[in-house]
Amino acid sequence: MNEQPEHSSPLRDDVRQIWQAAVAAADSRSAVSHHPRIDSHSLQIAGQTLPLAGIDRVIVVGAGKAGAGMAAGLEDALRDSPLFEKLSGWVNVPDNCLRPLQKIHLHGGRPAGVNEPTEQVLDGTDRILQLVSSCTPRDLCVMLLSGGGSALLCRPVPGISLADKLTVTRLLSRSGAPIHELNLVRTQLSLVKGGRLAAACRAQLLATLAISDVIGDPPQVIGSGPTVPMESRPAEALAILRRRGLYEHLPPGVMKFFSEAVDRPPESVCVPLAWQAVASNAVSLRAAAACAERLGYDVVDIHSDLQGAAAEAGAAFYQHLQLRQQQNTGRRICLLAGGETTVNVATAGTEPGLGGRNQEFVLAAAEAAELAHRTQTGPAHNWALLSGGTDGEDGPTDAAGGILDDAVLARIQKAGLDIAAYLRRHDSWTLLQAVGGLLRTGATHTNVMDIAVALAVPTKRHNPGIGSD
């Protein structure tokens, strides 16, 4: 099936511009560079103040898709201060995010689009543990954490191999487990997650600067909380695995670990801790809303808790657009949503196709739009809809998400493509590729979950564009 070129239109341009404003608001370099405050005597970071004369070294460690920009931002912040010459560090990032920096080493941990730990991640994590363990009470340790940090900061407990850890993570992901369940389970199997990295540190302060990829910005969930002390909860992790029918499929080493695990006290953390989110989905939604208003749209809804099954959420998003069109006749309207949905590929029945949660979200919206047009319930508006991962990645694909309007829907109908069949086998990329409905951006060097945008403007014609391209 040949790919259709992406066509431009005023609404498609606007919906992309609004989404890009959300991504720009989470720019990792500027988010970090504007955060520390330095004067002639002191450094303010993550709500704490340290005298410059009392800092021998600034040791930076980190992991995540935004790590390269965050590290560059910290170098920018310290460049004209006495601390710049005391700066060094190591940050694990995806391979396609590598760039030369002056003081902080960026370590490629995994290929683009493969959000899983590798042997290179283990090597980089060992280096990070060494750096953190080398800190003294006259050092400042800064952790740069962002989405994807769980996969880019990994060292399993003794007796658990990387292959074992990957099997557990894949089982949970394919079952549609939400991020908090995934993090709870893999934290039990880690030497760095759940505050265990902080337990290795003896600096005068361990300050975490985070770009949040979780609804509500909970510190213990972002990157699985390597600098946030947490109680060990193996019983809860085991209950999740049993409830999802995964326990019998676990590797023997993992089954043995959980069978012997008892409630253990958390690792002893002696270092003073500080934590600050420097960018988040909520901030990006506000930026998107401001952009939409500048373009002449009335922002009638902002939902900040987008979650659940991607297909259900996508259909509901389009249906909500319909409702708001009917309630706001004659107005140019914008709907925004932020969060992160899931895809349970186990429901494919056969080997699943290719796609990601944002592409499935958009394809499900297309199915709802097709039904609305077929039953003549679509209001007299032109419209466009987009959903994309702010990191530029959507599943194991080359796309950040998908984009939909009447022209894309017309191409689907003209080609006789069965949307429901593609949804059943989770093959959204294949269909959207064929009709010019993919959103491709490349790596954005940030990650604040997903942003969905829908626009509608009144028109005198009903069902514009359907049946033609």
Side-chain angles (χ1 to χ4, degrees):
M1 192 177 296
N2 295 324
E3 178 186 4
Q4 293 287 330
E6 181 181 316
H7 291 243
S8 180
S9 69
L11 272 185
R12 283 177 74 103
D13 292 344
D14 284 355
V15 81
R16 285 190 67 128
Q17 186 174 339
I18 293 166
W19 183 84
Q20 287 165 345
V23 174
D27 179 76
S28 53
R29 185 168 189 163
S30 62
V32 172
S33 67
H34 294 152
H35 178 76
R37 294 289 183 265
I38 304 174
D39 58 30
S40 58
H41 301 292
S42 64
L43 166 71
Q44 295 179 23
I45 186 168
Q48 302 296 310
T49 301
L50 300 176
L52 297 183
I55 302 174
D56 284 349
R57 296 186 302 168
V58 180
I59 303 296
V60 179
V61 295
K65 298 175 184 178
M70 296 181 81
L74 192 59
E75 287 195 357
D76 292 343
L78 302 185
R79 191 174 310 282
D80 296 326
S81 80
L83 295 180
F84 190 68
E85 293 306 316
K86 301 177 179 181
L87 178 64
S88 64
W90 184 288
V91 178
N92 290 350
V93 299
D95 291 346
N96 64 330
C97 295
L98 294 175
R99 67 173 84 167
L101 298 177
Q102 284 184 261
K103 297 292 186 177
I104 302 170
H105 176 75
L106 300 179
H107 174 72
R110 53 98 172 152
V114 181
N115 197 24
E116 292 183 332
T118 64
E119 290 293 338
Q120 288 71 35
V121 167
L122 299 190
D123 293 341
T125 302
D126 289 343
R127 177 61 176 157
I128 286 171
L129 280 168
Q130 291 169 7
L131 282 173
V132 168
S133 300
S134 76
C135 289
T136 74
R138 286 188 57 84
D139 296 332
L140 166 65
C141 187
V142 180
M143 177 74 182
L144 303 177
L145 195 61
S146 57
S150 292
L152 284 161
L153 189 69
C154 176
R155 171 48 70 184
V157 297
I160 304 297
S161 68
L162 175 60
D164 291 340
K165 189 81 175 288
L166 287 173
T167 296
V168 175
T169 301
R170 289 167 182 167
L171 286 170
L172 284 163
S173 296
R174 290 169 182 168
S175 75
I179 187 65
H180 69 272
E181 290 188 6
L182 183 61
N183 280 351
L184 193 153
V185 173
R186 60 188 173 190
T187 294
Q188 311 308 309
L189 305 174
S190 175
L191 287 179
V192 289
K193 296 176 172 63
R196 295 188 178 107
L197 184 74
C201 188
R202 295 295 181 270
Q204 62 176 303
L205 177 69
L206 172 53
T208 300
L209 302 181
I211 290 181
S212 172
D213 67 333
V214 184
I215 294 172
D217 313 330
Q220 69 275 18
V221 178
I222 299 169
S224 301
T227 60
V228 182
M230 287 183 267
E231 293 183 5
S232 183
R233 298 156 65 187
E236 291 181 49
L238 186 56
I240 290 170
L241 293 165
R242 289 190 185 280
R243 185 176 70 250
R244 292 189 170 275
L246 305 177
Y247 181 75
E248 293 74 14
H249 303 286
L250 296 176
V254 177
M255 295 181 73
K256 182 175 185 293
F257 173 85
F258 279 117
S259 68
E260 296 175 351
V262 295
D263 288 335
R264 297 181 297 268
E267 296 283 345
S268 175
V269 176
C270 301
V271 62
L273 302 173
W275 195 96
Q276 179 70 50
V278 296
S280 68
N281 190 266
V283 171
S284 287
L285 282 172
R286 290 196 292 271
C291 179
E293 289 169 353
R294 288 195 301 271
L295 293 173
Y297 295 92
D298 294 328
V299 180
V300 294
D301 271 312
I302 302 178
H303 295 285
S304 58
D305 59 349
L306 185 65
Q307 55 190 314
E312 294 176 8
F317 193 60
Y318 177 80
Q319 290 160 1
H320 195 62
L321 175 65
Q322 276 190 287
L323 175 63
R324 288 308 196 191
Q325 288 172 328
Q326 294 162 0
Q327 295 171 339
N328 294 276
T329 302
R331 297 172 64 192
R332 293 163 55 88
I333 63 171
C334 172
L335 274 64
L336 299 170
E340 188 167 292
T341 59
T342 58
V343 175
N344 184 355
V345 298
T347 62
T350 58
E351 187 67 23
L354 187 62
R357 59 183 182 266
N358 288 283
Q359 293 162 66
E360 183 149 322
F361 180 101
V362 167
L363 192 56
E367 184 179 43
E370 187 178 54
L371 176 62
H373 283 284
R374 189 166 59 244
T375 57
Q376 298 295 303
T377 60
H381 284 71
N382 283 324
W383 59 278
L385 182 151
L386 178 155
S387 184
T390 55
D391 55 1
E393 294 183 2
D394 189 35
T397 74
D398 60 352
I403 188 166
L404 177 67
D405 59 8
D406 269 333
V408 173
L409 198 60
R411 289 181 216 131
I412 294 172
Q413 294 178 329
K414 184 176 180 180
L417 300 174
D418 185 347
I419 297 175
Y422 282 88
L423 284 171
R424 281 195 300 272
R425 59 179 181 266
H426 304 293
D427 198 18
S428 53
W429 183 92
T430 303
L431 187 148
L432 293 174
Q433 161 91 346
V435 295
L438 289 175
L439 172 68
R440 289 187 172 100
T441 66
T444 63
H445 305 288
T446 191
N447 183 17
V448 290
M449 298 184 287
D450 304 331
I451 297 285
V453 184
L455 302 177
V457 298
T459 178
K460 295 180 181 180
R461 294 185 298 116
H462 189 66
N463 292 348
I466 297 297
S468 64
D469 187 1

